[in-house]
Amino acid sequence: MSSDRPPFPFISTLKHILSIGLQSYLNNVIPPILSAHTVFYSWLNRTLTAQLEQANPPKWFTANFVTYGRTLLLFPSLLLWMRGHTFLVAALVILVDFGDFLDGVLARYWVSYYKEHPPPVLLGPFVPSPVASHRSRTWGAYADAVLDKAYLIPLWIYGLSTLPP
């Protein structure tokens, strides 16, 4: 028996076949999907931004408001799922995903709005420090990421707990 020959030659052949299949998948299937995704979300971003600029939304309709609101949909999602209404739960998950996109559009909208219409400068002890300004700008992105997980993780846990043993 030769020492340069692998003990299980079919494994290297299988690896080679899987590698070719994966390369083909990554080169031929994924790029058109990503291209369509980019086109759709670019169109959706432009459309929603134009609608926001036209509608002049109230000041309370912020990205954080949408983030907190969609996170609260966790409770009806779990209750509906426990009662067997899986289609409604799927619709809520899609709505929450759309809300995740919408809060990004809203955040960009309000940043551009306040660049064009800066709020009045407060004088005296109410002038925020640079640290406070930085924290208020970064809080929304942090809350968005954490609250996304706060919605999805309990759904995953419940879904996995309902699988048969």
Side-chain angles (χ1 to χ4, degrees):
M1 185 162 162
S2 172
S3 64
D4 59 343
R5 195 172 151 192
F8 301 106
F10 71 92
I11 291 180
S12 63
T13 304
L14 182 62
K15 282 183 182 178
H16 183 68
I17 291 170
L18 287 175
S19 176
I20 291 171
L22 183 61
Q23 287 291 334
S24 176
Y25 175 76
L26 291 175
N27 291 332
N28 299 317
V29 175
I30 297 297
I33 292 171
L34 289 179
S35 177
H37 177 271
T38 301
V39 168
F40 173 72
Y41 274 99
S42 295
W43 170 82
L44 189 59
N45 189 24
R46 286 190 309 273
T47 303
L48 289 174
T49 301
Q51 292 295 318
L52 286 169
E53 289 170 352
Q54 195 174 35
N56 195 16
K59 300 280 191 269
W60 56 264
F61 190 59
T62 63
N64 288 344
F65 177 79
V66 172
T67 298
Y68 300 142
R70 65 187 167 83
T71 303
L72 289 175
L73 290 175
L74 169 66
F75 303 109
S77 297
L78 285 172
L79 289 172
L80 286 167
W81 201 352
M82 288 176 193
R83 289 180 167 68
H85 301 286
T86 53
F87 181 76
L88 290 173
V89 174
L92 284 175
V93 169
I94 291 170
L95 180 67
V96 166
D97 185 54
F98 176 74
D100 190 25
F101 178 76
L102 179 62
D103 68 21
V105 172
L106 277 168
R108 289 186 293 276
Y109 169 77
W110 286 115
V111 165
S112 69
Y113 176 84
Y114 284 119
K115 280 184 181 175
E116 294 174 12
H117 310 91
V121 176
L122 300 173
L123 300 175
F126 301 108
V127 176
S129 70
V131 172
S133 295
H134 174 74
R135 285 183 183 153
S136 68
R137 285 191 311 270
T138 58
W139 169 252
Y142 173 76
D144 180 45
V146 169
L147 293 175
D148 280 346
K149 281 38 167 202
Y151 177 82
L152 290 174
I153 289 173
L155 287 178
W156 274 102
I157 291 171
Y158 179 75
L160 291 172
S161 74
T162 61
L163 293 176

